[in-house]
Amino acid sequence: MITAINSENDYKAALHQIEELIDLNVKVGTPEGDRLNILTLLVQDYEQKRVESQTPDPIEALRFRMEQMGLTARDLVPLIGSRSKVSEVLSRKRPLTLSMVRALHKGLGIPAKSLLREQSLFESDEADIQWDRFPLREMIRRGWLKSRASDLSHNAHELMMQFLAPLGREWAPTVLYKHGRYVRSARQMDPYALAAWNARVCIRSLESPPRAEFDRAVLTLSFMHELAHLSTLSDGPRQACEYLGNVGISVIVEPHLPETFLDGAALLVDETRPAIGLTIRHDRLDNFWFVLMHELIHVARHLSADWVGFYDDLDIDDTSNPQEREADNLAGEALIPENEWRNSPARNLRTSDAVEHLARRLRIHPAIVAGKIRHHYKSYRVLNRLVGQGEVRRLFPDFGDADR
């Protein structure tokens, strides 16, 4: 069983196993399905480090096979799902999912390694970066850049060099590339906007470092249960962010940039310093506490020298990635333990009394219980008055800058 890829032979063996598993049409959630996910992550990591420049771009590989076989976009509908999905995939607005990879491999015979390659935020060297593609006007509006918003295309490189200067000489690999990063989203994020937001979070973390050194051992489920008790306070979200600074974790609230669809991120600012970025894209208490716990699980269990960032659009379920699946499950456990949920009236009753009963028992804000019920039933029109709508952004002055 392959657990690491350290050579070309390991790489070829892993690709062979991936193709066999795809041919078997393994199901998500089974041991074989988990094995496929793990092998995929190992292959992507190895390709990014060793053979990325030799591997064809997935969309280019798909277009090449279409040309070979005389296919049109309409011919891909049975394999990808719909005309709109085909259009979005071919225009790079939608990433290939594992189910799409499986269908394209079996239907068109495209090698799995060509389709599984994860694309860098930028595919070329620093000299080839299109600096004017950064959201410069929005960055100026938010005060990230000091410049007049005229003739930005000629000054883009200089402006970005000034913006990235606090990150030092190593800013390019840590900010601009997706090496060792995982992006959870059903929509194609703008890579330049994502890179700019990532840099902003890193810069703010360096400007206001946490008050203690980080000790991963502190981040137990018991610690997170206790942290969730702060949710009962009127300024609980702000206090939680400040408290995490006492255990070495910077929590930066930075509204998302257009075309990034982010709820939160867990990332390494340097080798020993983690940070959590929160966008408060959805201004609700239930959402805030779940996103915070989700990113804390990434910090506790997943950030490493090989995985330096996780960027999450939590509007979508991501059962294909074992790290995201674990973060979802343990974040829920940190807020509402499964044994408490099973034995609570709130599991079967979508009422305010049931919400209040479980919230009092766990010493958490009722919004967290209401959010759990809504997600459990996939019914997002119930308990609207209990999820803490509009109760988070007001606690953080950064939104004043973003909304100017």
Side-chain angles (χ1 to χ4, degrees):
M1 178 180 293
I2 298 173
T3 57
I5 299 179
N6 299 312
S7 68
E8 189 68 10
N9 287 336
D10 290 342
Y11 172 67
K12 291 178 179 178
L15 287 173
H16 179 70
Q17 288 189 27
I18 286 173
E19 295 200 2
E20 286 185 337
L21 289 168
I22 289 176
D23 287 336
L24 291 173
N25 197 27
V26 297
K27 303 296 184 184
V28 173
T30 64
E32 293 80 11
D34 290 342
R35 183 69 189 144
L36 176 58
N37 289 328
I38 292 170
L39 284 169
T40 299
L41 291 174
L42 291 173
V43 164
Q44 289 175 347
D45 185 58
Y46 182 84
E47 288 179 341
Q48 288 169 337
K49 291 177 179 177
R50 301 287 183 86
V51 299
E52 189 167 81
S53 62
Q54 303 170 10
T55 309
D57 174 84
I59 304 306
E60 290 303 318
L62 176 55
R63 288 188 178 278
F64 178 71
R65 185 53 55 90
M66 290 173 66
E67 183 178 347
Q68 278 187 321
M69 301 176 67
L71 303 177
T72 66
R74 180 176 298 180
D75 297 316
L76 299 183
V77 170
L79 303 174
I80 290 180
S82 69
R83 280 181 147 185
S84 61
K85 285 184 179 179
V86 170
S87 175
E88 290 171 354
V89 165
L90 292 176
S91 62
R92 306 178 191 275
K93 294 180 180 179
R94 177 187 289 267
L96 288 172
T97 65
L98 272 178
S99 61
M100 292 177 188
V101 168
R102 186 181 292 116
L104 291 168
H105 168 67
K106 294 184 69 174
L108 303 183
I110 302 174
K113 72 174 185 179
S114 298
L115 295 171
L116 287 169
R117 178 188 173 215
E118 186 164 324
Q119 300 174 56
S120 297
L121 283 175
F122 304 107
E123 297 290 348
S124 51
D125 294 333
E126 177 188 336
D128 296 321
I129 292 172
Q130 300 175 53
W131 297 99
D132 58 352
R133 285 191 57 189
F134 283 98
L136 299 172
R137 293 185 186 279
E138 179 64 17
M139 293 167 74
I140 291 171
R141 189 181 74 85
R142 295 190 182 192
W144 300 4
L145 298 174
K146 305 300 181 184
S147 176
R148 288 179 292 182
S150 60
D151 200 25
L152 292 179
S153 60
H154 291 89
N155 299 325
H157 181 263
E158 180 183 353
L159 287 171
M160 288 304 300
M161 289 299 96
Q162 294 172 0
F163 173 64
L164 295 167
L167 298 177
R169 298 178 64 183
E170 299 301 316
W171 58 267
T174 57
V175 173
L176 296 184
Y177 295 95
K178 202 167 145 183
H179 167 71
R181 287 169 164 80
Y182 184 80
V183 179
R184 169 177 174 167
S185 181
R187 297 166 285 190
Q188 184 67 43
M189 294 193 188
D190 180 343
Y192 287 85
L194 183 60
W197 184 88
N198 182 86
R200 173 68 172 174
V201 171
C202 290
I203 290 168
R204 288 187 56 195
S205 178
L206 292 173
E207 290 174 344
S208 302
R211 292 174 287 279
E213 290 188 8
F214 174 61
D215 180 2
R216 193 184 300 267
V218 170
L219 296 184
T220 63
L221 281 178
S222 296
F223 172 88
M224 295 181 199
H225 287 317
E226 292 298 317
L227 186 69
H229 292 165
L230 294 176
S231 66
T232 60
L233 303 177
S234 60
D235 61 346
R238 184 177 58 79
Q239 290 208 29
C241 296
E242 292 176 357
Y243 185 76
L244 287 171
N246 294 328
V247 296
I249 303 171
S250 296
V251 181
I252 306 298
V253 173
E254 188 63 63
H256 72 292
L257 287 166
E259 303 302 320
T260 58
F261 315 109
L262 277 179
D263 291 304
L267 51 94
L268 286 177
V269 179
D270 58 37
E271 292 180 355
T272 62
R273 185 185 304 181
I276 290 174
L278 301 176
T279 70
I280 317 182
R281 183 162 65 110
H282 301 299
D283 188 6
R284 303 193 319 267
L285 285 171
D286 68 313
N287 185 264
F288 171 87
W289 286 102
F290 184 81
V291 173
L292 179 64
M293 294 299 176
H294 181 98
E295 304 308 338
L296 270 178
I297 297 298
H298 280 319
V299 171
R301 302 205 171 206
H302 304 144
L303 287 182
S304 66
D306 293 324
W307 288 100
V308 299
F310 293 85
Y311 304 84
D312 294 309
D313 171 2
L314 295 179
D315 282 352
I316 67 158
D317 292 328
D318 188 350
T319 58
S320 65
N321 182 279
Q323 295 156 315
E324 288 296 325
R325 192 164 63 243
E326 182 177 43
D328 281 343
N329 292 338
L330 292 183
E333 183 71 15
L335 293 168
I336 302 177
E338 183 62 26
N339 64 317
E340 294 284 356
W341 173 249
R342 284 198 308 267
N343 297 318
S344 170
R347 185 183 182 190
N348 299 308
L349 299 175
R350 288 177 276 185
T351 66
S352 57
D353 287 342
V355 167
E356 296 287 349
H357 178 270
L358 183 55
R360 284 194 301 269
R361 178 175 176 80
L362 297 178
R363 289 187 293 148
I364 59 177
H365 197 284
I368 297 173
V369 180
K372 171 76 172 182
I373 291 173
R374 285 154 59 100
H375 185 265
H376 177 75
Y377 284 103
K378 297 293 187 289
S379 178
Y380 298 101
R381 295 184 178 181
V382 301
L383 305 173
N384 281 332
R385 292 183 297 141
L386 297 181
V387 294
Q389 185 72 44
E391 295 298 316
V392 185
R393 291 182 186 174
R394 63 181 180 80
L395 301 173
F396 298 95
D398 305 282
F399 274 88
D401 294 335
D403 293 337
R404 283 183 308 182

